[in-house]
Amino acid sequence: MSRRELIFLGIIILLVGLLGGLALASFGGDDEPDTEAADATSSSTSSSTTTEAPATTSTTSSTTTTLTTTSTTTSTTTSEAPAEEEPPPSVAVVADLVNGEVMGLPHGTLVEEVEFLMYEVFDAPDFDTGWVVGCEFDGPEENERSIHWEGLWLSFLNDGGAGWLDAWRWRPTNAIPEGTYPADPQPDLWQIWLHEGVTPDMTMNEIGAATGFPPVEHLGFSIVTDDWTWAYLSPDGDDSVPFEITSQIRFCD
């Protein structure tokens, strides 16, 4: 580079430096606070202040509160109380064909015990044969006795000693005795229980199907029986209803 060029470059560098210094001085002067202006503002504010007491103003801070009201709607369903079911009627079992019992007393119960209970519940019987000569095959002794209340007949036997309950029989055309227990509660119904599914208005064939023992013919009777203990009997054939129902079948009495 020539000397002339070096001189010219130096002049340029110097000019750039001077311009930069001026720019910095100008920027720094703008940041300084204008003290005179501030003093003037303060003086102006002081002179404008009045000495009178301002009117008292009651300022109420209005706070708007949003109340969220929860509306609870109670849905009341009015329904009628269900009707109370009627309790099943209480039943007194006067006699039970399946086990042969009379008022809970089985075959073989002493006659005195049977009489005491029957008299207590049903009062005096409608008929009592007393001890009589019974079946000729049993000998001439007075060894049989029958007592009945309404349509229920009780048969007793003895062998010269104490008598016992031998059987009961009922003809469905006759009434079932109804009594009164010595103490409450009293039953609603008095019934004679037959085999499950059997009613006295069924035919002998229907009874045979229900019990599992088809009717057989014997001495002119249609008979439904297991082993010749309990029996349904009819003299009118298998398609007729039973004439008599007994807990112990006997043809000679």
Side-chain angles (χ1 to χ4, degrees), residues 15-199:
L15 290 174
V16 170
L18 290 173
L19 291 174
L22 292 173
L24 288 174
S26 176
F27 181 78
D30 291 341
D31 287 343
E32 291 181 1
D34 191 349
T35 306
E36 293 180 359
D39 291 341
T41 302
S42 175
S43 175
S44 175
T45 302
S46 298
S47 62
S48 63
T49 303
T50 61
T51 57
E52 294 181 3
T56 302
T57 303
S58 176
T59 303
T60 303
S61 177
S62 175
T63 303
T64 302
T65 304
T66 302
L67 297 179
T68 302
T69 303
T70 302
S71 177
T72 303
T73 302
T74 304
S75 177
T76 304
T77 302
T78 303
S79 59
E80 295 183 0
E84 294 184 3
E85 294 184 2
E86 290 291 333
S90 57
V91 176
V93 182
V94 180
D96 188 330
L97 186 64
V98 177
N99 57 32
E101 293 179 348
V102 174
M103 295 296 292
L105 301 177
H107 290 164
T109 302
L110 294 178
V111 63
E112 288 83 4
E113 294 182 35
V114 178
E115 280 188 295
F116 177 81
L117 178 59
M118 295 298 288
Y119 271 77
E120 187 175 43
V121 176
F122 301 103
D123 295 327
D126 298 306
F127 186 74
D128 185 349
T129 64
W131 291 106
V132 298
V133 176
C135 182
E136 58 186 16
F137 300 109
D138 296 332
E141 293 84 4
E142 295 179 346
N143 59 358
E144 291 187 12
R145 180 182 178 187
S146 292
I147 310 175
H148 74 88
W149 285 262
E150 297 285 348
L152 181 68
W153 288 72
L154 306 185
S155 297
F156 301 89
L157 294 178
N158 75 64
D159 56 3
W164 66 89
L165 176 65
D166 179 63
W168 62 261
R169 65 182 188 270
W170 173 57
R171 294 182 177 178
T173 54
N174 295 336
I176 298 173
E178 297 183 0
T180 303
Y181 284 147
D184 290 334
Q186 299 299 321
D188 298 313
L189 299 173
W190 299 79
Q191 292 185 349
I192 290 178
W193 277 7
L194 307 178
H195 290 84
E196 185 176 359
V198 174
T199 58

